[in-house]
Coordinates of all heavy atoms in Angstrom, one line a residue:
M180 N 35.4 12.0 71.0 CA 36.0 11.3 69.9 C 35.5 9.8 69.9 O 35.2 9.3 70.9 CB 37.6 11.2 70.1 CG 38.3 10.6 69.0 SD 40.0 11.1 69.0 CE 40.3 11.4 67.3
T181 N 35.3 9.3 68.7 CA 34.8 7.9 68.5 C 36.0 7.0 68.3 O 36.9 7.3 67.5 CB 33.8 7.9 67.4 OG1 32.7 8.8 67.7 CG2 33.2 6.5 67.2
Y182 N 35.9 5.8 68.9 CA 36.9 4.8 68.8 C 36.3 3.4 68.4 O 35.1 3.2 68.8 CB 37.7 4.6 70.1 CG 38.4 5.8 70.5 CD1 37.8 6.7 71.4 CD2 39.7 6.0 70.1 CE1 38.5 7.9 71.8 CE2 40.4 7.2 70.5 CZ 39.8 8.1 71.4 OH 40.5 9.2 71.8
E183 N 37.0 2.6 67.8 CA 36.5 1.2 67.4 C 36.9 0.3 68.5 O 38.1 0.3 69.0 CB 37.0 0.8 66.1 CG 36.5 1.5 64.9 CD 37.0 1.0 63.6 OE1 38.2 0.6 63.6 OE2 36.3 1.1 62.6
A184 N 36.0 -0.5 69.0 CA 36.3 -1.6 70.0 C 36.3 -2.9 69.3 O 35.4 -3.3 68.5 CB 35.2 -1.6 71.1
L185 N 37.3 -3.7 69.6 CA 37.5 -5.0 69.0 C 37.5 -6.1 70.0 O 37.9 -5.9 71.2 CB 38.9 -5.0 68.3 CG 39.2 -3.9 67.3 CD1 40.6 -4.1 66.8 CD2 38.2 -4.0 66.1
F186 N 37.2 -7.3 69.6 CA 37.3 -8.5 70.4 C 38.3 -9.4 69.8 O 38.2 -9.7 68.6 CB 36.0 -9.2 70.6 CG 36.1 -10.5 71.3 CD1 36.0 -10.5 72.7 CD2 36.2 -11.7 70.7 CE1 36.2 -11.7 73.4 CE2 36.3 -12.9 71.3 CZ 36.3 -12.9 72.7
Y187 N 39.3 -9.8 70.5 CA 40.3 -10.7 70.0 C 40.0 -12.1 70.3 O 40.0 -12.5 71.5 CB 41.7 -10.3 70.5 CG 42.8 -11.3 70.0 CD1 43.1 -11.3 68.6 CD2 43.5 -12.1 70.8 CE1 44.1 -12.2 68.1 CE2 44.5 -13.0 70.4 CZ 44.8 -13.0 69.0 OH 45.7 -13.8 68.6
D188 N 39.7 -13.0 69.3 CA 39.4 -14.4 69.6 C 40.7 -15.2 69.3 O 41.0 -15.6 68.2 CB 38.3 -14.8 68.6 CG 37.9 -16.3 68.9 OD1 38.6 -16.9 69.8 OD2 37.0 -16.8 68.3
G189 N 41.5 -15.3 70.4 CA 42.7 -16.0 70.3 C 42.6 -17.5 70.5 O 43.5 -18.3 70.3
W190 N 41.4 -18.0 70.8 CA 41.1 -19.4 71.0 C 40.7 -20.1 69.7 O 40.7 -21.3 69.7 CB 40.0 -19.6 72.0 CG 40.1 -18.7 73.2 CD1 41.1 -18.6 74.1 CD2 39.1 -17.7 73.6 NE1 40.9 -17.7 75.1 CE2 39.6 -17.1 74.8 CE3 37.9 -17.3 73.2 CZ2 39.0 -16.1 75.5 CZ3 37.2 -16.3 73.9 CH2 37.7 -15.8 75.0
A191 N 40.4 -19.4 68.7 CA 40.0 -20.0 67.4 C 41.1 -20.7 66.7 O 42.3 -20.4 67.0 CB 39.3 -18.9 66.5
D192 N 40.8 -21.5 65.8 CA 41.8 -22.2 65.0 C 42.6 -21.1 64.2 O 43.8 -21.3 64.0 CB 41.2 -23.2 64.0 CG 40.6 -24.4 64.7 OD1 41.1 -24.7 65.8 OD2 39.7 -25.0 64.1
V193 N 41.9 -20.1 63.8 CA 42.6 -19.0 63.1 C 42.2 -17.7 63.9 O 41.1 -17.2 63.8 CB 42.1 -18.8 61.6 CG1 42.8 -17.6 61.0 CG2 42.3 -20.0 60.8
P194 N 43.1 -17.3 64.8 CA 42.9 -16.1 65.7 C 42.5 -14.9 64.9 O 43.1 -14.7 63.8 CB 44.2 -15.9 66.5 CG 44.8 -17.3 66.5 CD 44.5 -17.9 65.1
A195 N 41.6 -14.1 65.4 CA 41.1 -12.9 64.6 C 40.6 -11.9 65.6 O 40.2 -12.2 66.7 CB 40.1 -13.3 63.6
Y196 N 40.6 -10.6 65.1 CA 39.9 -9.5 65.8 C 38.6 -9.3 65.1 O 38.5 -9.3 63.9 CB 40.8 -8.2 65.6 CG 42.0 -8.2 66.4 CD1 43.2 -8.6 65.9 CD2 42.0 -7.7 67.8 CE1 44.4 -8.5 66.6 CE2 43.2 -7.7 68.5 CZ 44.3 -8.1 67.9 OH 45.5 -8.0 68.7
Y197 N 37.6 -9.1 66.0 CA 36.2 -8.8 65.5 C 35.8 -7.4 66.0 O 35.9 -7.1 67.2 CB 35.2 -9.8 66.0 CG 35.5 -11.2 65.5 CD1 36.3 -12.1 66.2 CD2 35.1 -11.6 64.2 CE1 36.6 -13.4 65.7 CE2 35.3 -12.9 63.7 CZ 36.1 -13.8 64.5 OH 36.4 -15.0 64.0
L198 N 35.2 -6.6 65.1 CA 34.7 -5.3 65.4 C 33.4 -5.5 66.3 O 32.5 -6.2 65.9 CB 34.4 -4.5 64.2 CG 33.8 -3.1 64.4 CD1 34.8 -2.2 65.2 CD2 33.4 -2.5 63.1
I199 N 33.4 -4.9 67.5 CA 32.3 -5.0 68.4 C 31.4 -3.8 68.2 O 30.2 -4.0 68.0 CB 32.7 -5.1 69.8 CG1 33.6 -6.4 70.1 CG2 31.4 -5.2 70.7 CD1 34.2 -6.4 71.5
D200 N 31.9 -2.6 68.3 CA 31.1 -1.4 68.3 C 32.0 -0.2 68.3 O 33.2 -0.3 68.5 CB 30.3 -1.4 69.6 CG 29.1 -0.5 69.5 OD1 28.9 0.1 68.5 OD2 28.3 -0.6 70.5
G201 N 31.4 0.9 68.0 CA 32.1 2.2 68.1 C 31.7 2.8 69.5 O 30.6 2.7 69.9
I202 N 32.7 3.4 70.2 CA 32.5 3.9 71.5 C 33.0 5.3 71.5 O 34.0 5.7 70.7 CB 33.1 3.1 72.6 CG1 34.6 2.8 72.4 CG2 32.3 1.8 72.7 CD1 35.2 2.1 73.5
Q203 N 32.5 6.2 72.4 CA 33.0 7.5 72.5 C 33.6 7.8 73.8 O 33.2 7.3 74.9 CB 31.8 8.5 72.2 CG 31.3 8.4 70.8 CD 30.3 9.5 70.5 OE1 29.9 10.2 71.4 NE2 30.0 9.6 69.2
G204 N 34.6 8.7 73.8 CA 35.2 9.1 75.0 C 36.2 10.2 74.7 O 36.6 10.4 73.6
R205 N 36.7 10.9 75.8 CA 37.7 11.9 75.6 C 39.0 11.3 75.1 O 39.7 11.9 74.3 CB 38.0 12.6 77.0 CG 38.7 13.9 77.0 CD 38.7 14.6 78.3 NE 38.9 13.7 79.5 CZ 40.0 13.1 79.9 NH1 41.1 13.4 79.2 NH2 40.1 12.4 80.9
T206 N 39.4 10.1 75.6 CA 40.6 9.4 75.1 C 40.1 7.9 74.9 O 39.0 7.5 75.3 CB 41.7 9.4 76.2 OG1 41.2 8.7 77.4 CG2 42.1 10.8 76.6
A207 N 41.0 7.1 74.3 CA 40.6 5.7 74.1 C 40.5 5.0 75.4 O 39.6 4.2 75.6 CB 41.7 5.0 73.3
E208 N 41.3 5.3 76.4 CA 41.2 4.7 77.7 C 39.9 5.1 78.4 O 39.3 4.2 79.0 CB 42.4 5.1 78.6 CG 43.8 4.6 78.1 CD 44.4 5.5 77.0 OE1 43.8 6.5 76.6 OE2 45.5 5.1 76.6
D209 N 39.5 6.3 78.3 CA 38.3 6.8 78.9 C 37.1 6.1 78.2 O 36.2 5.7 78.9 CB 38.2 8.3 78.7 CG 36.9 8.9 79.2 OD1 36.7 8.7 80.4 OD2 36.2 9.6 78.4
A210 N 37.1 6.0 76.9 CA 36.0 5.3 76.2 C 35.9 3.9 76.6 O 34.8 3.4 76.9 CB 36.3 5.4 74.7
L211 N 37.0 3.2 76.8 CA 37.0 1.8 77.2 C 36.5 1.7 78.6 O 35.6 0.8 78.9 CB 38.4 1.2 77.1 CG 38.6 -0.2 77.5 CD1 37.7 -1.1 76.7 CD2 40.0 -0.7 77.3
A212 N 37.0 2.5 79.5 CA 36.6 2.4 80.9 C 35.1 2.6 81.1 O 34.4 1.9 81.8 CB 37.3 3.4 81.8
N213 N 34.5 3.6 80.3 CA 33.1 3.9 80.4 C 32.2 3.0 79.7 O 31.0 3.1 79.9 CB 32.9 5.4 79.9 CG 33.5 6.4 80.8 OD1 33.7 6.2 82.0 ND2 33.9 7.5 80.3
N214 N 32.7 2.2 78.8 CA 31.8 1.3 78.0 C 32.2 -0.2 78.1 O 31.6 -1.0 77.4 CB 32.0 1.7 76.5 CG 31.4 3.0 76.2 OD1 30.2 3.2 76.2 ND2 32.3 4.0 76.1
L215 N 33.1 -0.6 79.1 CA 33.5 -2.0 79.1 C 32.4 -3.0 79.4 O 32.3 -4.0 78.7 CB 34.6 -2.1 80.2 CG 35.3 -3.4 80.2 CD1 35.9 -3.8 78.9 CD2 36.4 -3.4 81.3
D216 N 31.5 -2.7 80.3 CA 30.4 -3.6 80.6 C 29.5 -3.8 79.3 O 29.1 -4.9 79.0 CB 29.6 -3.2 81.8 CG 30.4 -3.4 83.1 OD1 31.3 -4.2 83.1 OD2 30.1 -2.7 84.0
R217 N 29.2 -2.7 78.7 CA 28.4 -2.8 77.5 C 29.1 -3.5 76.4 O 28.5 -4.3 75.6 CB 28.0 -1.3 77.0 CG 27.0 -1.3 75.9 CD 26.6 0.1 75.5 NE 27.7 0.9 75.0 CZ 28.3 0.8 73.8 NH1 27.8 0.0 72.9 NH2 29.2 1.7 73.4
L218 N 30.4 -3.4 76.2 CA 31.2 -4.1 75.2 C 31.2 -5.6 75.5 O 31.2 -6.4 74.6 CB 32.6 -3.5 75.1 CG 32.7 -2.1 74.6 CD1 34.2 -1.6 74.8 CD2 32.3 -2.1 73.2
V219 N 31.3 -5.9 76.8 CA 31.2 -7.4 77.1 C 29.9 -8.0 76.6 O 29.9 -9.0 76.0 CB 31.4 -7.6 78.6 CG1 31.0 -9.0 79.0 CG2 32.8 -7.2 79.1
Q220 N 28.8 -7.3 76.9 CA 27.5 -7.8 76.4 C 27.4 -7.8 74.9 O 26.9 -8.8 74.3 CB 26.4 -6.9 77.0 CG 26.1 -7.2 78.5 CD 25.9 -8.6 78.8 OE1 26.7 -9.3 79.4 NE2 24.9 -9.2 78.3
A221 N 27.9 -6.8 74.2 CA 27.9 -6.7 72.8 C 28.7 -7.9 72.2 O 28.3 -8.5 71.2 CB 28.4 -5.4 72.3
A222 N 29.9 -8.2 72.8 CA 30.7 -9.3 72.3 C 30.0 -10.6 72.5 O 30.0 -11.5 71.6 CB 32.1 -9.3 73.0
R223 N 29.4 -10.7 73.7 CA 28.7 -12.0 74.0 C 27.6 -12.3 73.0 O 27.4 -13.4 72.6 CB 28.2 -11.9 75.5 CG 27.6 -13.2 76.0 CD 27.2 -13.0 77.5 NE 28.3 -12.8 78.4 CZ 29.3 -13.7 78.7 NH1 29.3 -14.9 78.1 NH2 30.2 -13.4 79.6
E224 N 26.8 -11.2 72.7 CA 25.7 -11.4 71.8 C 26.1 -11.6 70.4 O 25.6 -12.5 69.7 CB 24.7 -10.2 71.9 CG 24.0 -10.1 73.3 CD 23.3 -8.8 73.5 OE1 23.2 -8.0 72.5 OE2 22.9 -8.5 74.6
S225 N 27.0 -10.8 69.9 CA 27.4 -10.8 68.5 C 28.2 -12.1 68.2 O 28.2 -12.6 67.0 CB 28.1 -9.6 68.0 OG 29.3 -9.4 68.7
L226 N 29.0 -12.6 69.1 CA 29.8 -13.7 68.9 C 29.3 -15.0 69.5 O 30.0 -16.0 69.5 CB 31.2 -13.4 69.3 CG 31.9 -12.2 68.6 CD1 33.2 -11.8 69.3 CD2 32.1 -12.5 67.2
N227 N 28.1 -14.9 70.1 CA 27.5 -16.1 70.7 C 28.4 -16.8 71.7 O 28.8 -17.9 71.6 CB 27.1 -17.1 69.6 CG 26.2 -18.2 70.2 OD1 25.5 -17.9 71.2 ND2 26.1 -19.3 69.6
L228 N 28.8 -16.0 72.8 CA 29.7 -16.5 73.8 C 28.9 -16.7 75.1 O 28.6 -15.8 75.9 CB 30.8 -15.4 74.1 CG 31.7 -15.1 72.9 CD1 32.5 -13.9 73.2 CD2 32.5 -16.2 72.5
P229 N 28.4 -17.9 75.3 CA 27.5 -18.2 76.5 C 28.3 -18.0 77.8 O 29.5 -18.3 77.9 CB 27.1 -19.6 76.3 CG 27.9 -20.2 75.2 CD 28.6 -19.1 74.5
S230 N 27.6 -17.4 78.8 CA 28.3 -17.1 80.1 C 28.7 -18.3 80.8 O 29.6 -18.3 81.6 CB 27.3 -16.2 80.9 OG 26.1 -16.9 81.2
E231 N 28.0 -19.4 80.5 CA 28.4 -20.7 81.2 C 29.8 -21.2 80.7 O 30.4 -22.0 81.4 CB 27.4 -21.8 80.9 CG 25.9 -21.5 81.2 CD 25.3 -20.7 80.1 OE1 25.4 -21.0 79.0 OE2 24.6 -19.7 80.5
I232 N 30.2 -20.8 79.5 CA 31.4 -21.3 79.0 C 32.5 -20.2 79.0 O 33.7 -20.5 79.3 CB 31.2 -21.7 77.5 CG1 30.2 -22.9 77.5 CG2 32.5 -22.1 76.8 CD1 29.8 -23.3 76.1
V233 N 32.1 -18.9 78.7 CA 33.1 -17.8 78.7 C 32.7 -16.8 79.7 O 31.8 -16.1 79.5 CB 33.2 -17.2 77.3 CG1 34.2 -16.1 77.2 CG2 33.4 -18.3 76.2
P234 N 33.5 -16.7 80.8 CA 33.1 -15.7 81.8 C 33.4 -14.3 81.4 O 34.2 -14.0 80.5 CB 34.0 -16.1 83.0 CG 35.1 -16.9 82.4 CD 34.6 -17.5 81.2
D235 N 32.8 -13.3 82.0 CA 33.0 -11.9 81.7 C 34.4 -11.5 81.8 O 34.9 -10.8 80.9 CB 32.2 -11.0 82.6 CG 30.7 -11.0 82.3 OD1 30.3 -11.6 81.3 OD2 29.9 -10.4 83.1
R236 N 35.1 -12.0 82.8 CA 36.6 -11.7 83.0 C 37.4 -12.0 81.7 O 38.2 -11.3 81.3 CB 37.1 -12.5 84.2 CG 38.6 -12.4 84.4 CD 39.0 -13.4 85.5 NE 38.5 -14.8 85.3 CZ 39.1 -15.7 84.4 NH1 40.1 -15.3 83.7 NH2 38.6 -16.9 84.3
R237 N 37.1 -13.2 81.1 CA 37.8 -13.6 79.9 C 37.5 -12.7 78.7 O 38.4 -12.4 77.9 CB 37.4 -15.1 79.6 CG 38.2 -15.7 78.5 CD 39.4 -16.4 79.1 NE 40.2 -17.0 78.0 CZ 40.5 -18.2 77.9 NH1 40.1 -19.1 78.8 NH2 41.2 -18.6 76.9
I238 N 36.2 -12.3 78.6 CA 35.9 -11.4 77.5 C 36.6 -10.0 77.7 O 37.1 -9.5 76.8 CB 34.3 -11.2 77.4 CG1 33.7 -12.6 77.0 CG2 34.0 -10.1 76.4 CD1 32.2 -12.6 77.0
K239 N 36.5 -9.5 79.0 CA 37.2 -8.2 79.2 C 38.7 -8.2 78.9 O 39.2 -7.3 78.4 CB 37.0 -7.9 80.7 CG 35.6 -7.4 81.1 CD 35.5 -7.1 82.5 CE 34.1 -6.7 82.9 NZ 33.9 -6.4 84.3
Q240 N 39.3 -9.4 79.1 CA 40.7 -9.5 78.8 C 41.0 -9.5 77.3 O 42.1 -9.4 76.8 CB 41.3 -10.7 79.4 CG 41.4 -10.7 80.9 CD 41.8 -12.0 81.5 OE1 41.7 -13.1 80.9 NE2 42.2 -12.0 82.8
S241 N 39.9 -9.7 76.5 CA 40.1 -9.8 75.0 C 39.5 -8.7 74.3 O 39.4 -8.7 73.0 CB 39.4 -11.1 74.6 OG 39.9 -12.3 75.2
I242 N 39.1 -7.6 75.0 CA 38.6 -6.4 74.3 C 39.7 -5.3 74.2 O 40.5 -5.1 75.1 CB 37.4 -5.8 75.1 CG1 36.2 -6.8 75.0 CG2 37.0 -4.4 74.6 CD1 35.0 -6.4 75.8
Y243 N 39.8 -4.8 73.0 CA 40.8 -3.7 72.7 C 40.1 -2.5 72.0 O 39.1 -2.7 71.4 CB 41.9 -4.3 71.8 CG 42.7 -5.4 72.4 CD1 42.3 -6.7 72.3 CD2 43.8 -5.1 73.1 CE1 43.0 -7.7 72.9 CE2 44.6 -6.1 73.7 CZ 44.1 -7.4 73.6 OH 44.9 -8.4 74.2
V244 N 40.7 -1.4 72.2 CA 40.2 -0.2 71.6 C 41.3 0.3 70.7 O 42.5 0.4 71.1 CB 39.8 0.9 72.6 CG1 39.4 2.2 71.9 CG2 38.6 0.4 73.4
V245 N 41.0 0.7 69.4 CA 42.0 1.2 68.5 C 42.2 2.7 68.7 O 41.3 3.4 68.7 CB 41.4 0.9 67.0 CG1 42.5 1.4 66.0 CG2 41.1 -0.6 66.8
R246 N 43.5 3.0 68.8 CA 43.8 4.4 68.8 C 45.0 4.6 67.7 O 45.5 3.6 67.2 CB 44.2 4.9 70.2 CG 45.5 4.3 70.7 CD 45.8 4.9 72.1 NE 47.0 4.2 72.6 CZ 47.4 4.1 73.8 NH1 46.6 4.7 74.7 NH2 48.5 3.5 74.2
S247 N 45.3 5.8 67.5 CA 46.3 6.1 66.4 C 47.6 5.4 66.5 O 48.3 5.0 65.5 CB 46.5 7.6 66.2 OG 47.1 8.1 67.4
D248 N 48.1 5.1 67.8 CA 49.4 4.5 67.9 C 49.3 3.1 68.5 O 50.3 2.6 69.0 CB 50.2 5.4 68.9 CG 49.6 5.5 70.3 OD1 48.5 5.1 70.5 OD2 50.4 5.9 71.2
G249 N 48.2 2.4 68.3 CA 48.1 1.0 68.7 C 46.8 0.7 69.4 O 45.8 1.4 69.2
L250 N 46.8 -0.4 70.2 CA 45.6 -0.9 70.8 C 45.7 -0.6 72.3 O 46.7 -0.6 72.9 CB 45.4 -2.4 70.6 CG 45.3 -2.8 69.2 CD1 45.3 -4.3 69.1 CD2 44.1 -2.2 68.5
V251 N 44.5 -0.3 72.9 CA 44.4 -0.2 74.4 C 43.6 -1.3 74.9 O 42.5 -1.7 74.3 CB 43.7 1.2 74.7 CG1 43.4 1.3 76.2 CG2 44.4 2.3 74.2
S252 N 44.0 -1.9 76.0 CA 43.2 -3.0 76.6 C 42.9 -2.6 78.1 O 43.5 -1.7 78.6 CB 44.0 -4.3 76.6 OG 45.0 -4.3 77.6
P253 N 41.9 -3.3 78.7 CA 41.6 -3.0 80.1 C 42.7 -3.3 81.0 O 42.8 -2.8 82.2 CB 40.4 -3.9 80.4 CG 39.9 -4.4 79.1 CD 41.0 -4.2 78.1
R254 N 43.7 -4.1 80.6 CA 44.8 -4.5 81.5 C 45.8 -3.4 81.6 O 46.7 -3.5 82.4 CB 45.4 -5.7 81.0 CG 44.4 -6.9 81.0 CD 45.0 -8.1 80.4 NE 45.0 -7.9 79.0 CZ 45.2 -8.9 78.1 NH1 45.5 -10.1 78.5 NH2 45.1 -8.7 76.8
E255 N 45.8 -2.4 80.8 CA 46.8 -1.3 80.8 C 46.5 -0.2 81.8 O 45.4 0.0 82.2 CB 46.9 -0.6 79.4 CG 47.4 -1.6 78.4 CD 47.6 -1.0 77.0 OE1 47.1 0.2 76.8 OE2 48.1 -1.6 76.2

């Protein structure tokens, strides 16, 4: 199944979710776990998040996957 991965920019003046990529997995949790490192790089590149300013840990905490009943995060 294909899921949409989002990055939540809660630090901006107007917080927003940004579409990072489509990912595949058996479940949303599975897709997130198997693609998390790639999503970090995709978010870093598409949103211009330099590693000197925004660590990977912070990006991982801001990535969500959309499923039919809500959002899944790496913290769940």
Side-chain angles (χ1 to χ4, degrees):
M180 183 162 222
T181 301
Y182 298 92
E183 292 180 328
L185 308 174
F186 175 82
Y187 178 66
D188 184 356
W190 315 301
D192 292 335
V193 179
Y196 287 94
Y197 296 96
L198 178 63
I199 301 171
D200 203 352
I202 55 175
Q203 294 188 353
R205 194 172 40 77
T206 65
E208 293 83 0
D209 179 55
L211 180 58
N213 291 333
N214 292 282
L215 189 56
D216 290 333
R217 186 176 63 77
L218 292 172
V219 168
Q220 286 307 113
R223 190 176 293 293
E224 291 169 10
S225 65
L226 299 170
N227 193 25
L228 302 170
S230 59
E231 306 82 43
I232 298 172
V233 184
D235 286 355
R236 172 190 50 81
R237 185 95 184 236
I238 294 174
K239 286 179 182 179
Q240 293 173 342
S241 300
I242 291 177
Y243 295 87
V244 174
V245 180
R246 65 178 179 201
S247 62
D248 63 345
L250 300 175
V251 176
S252 76
R254 296 175 283 193
E255 293 179 354

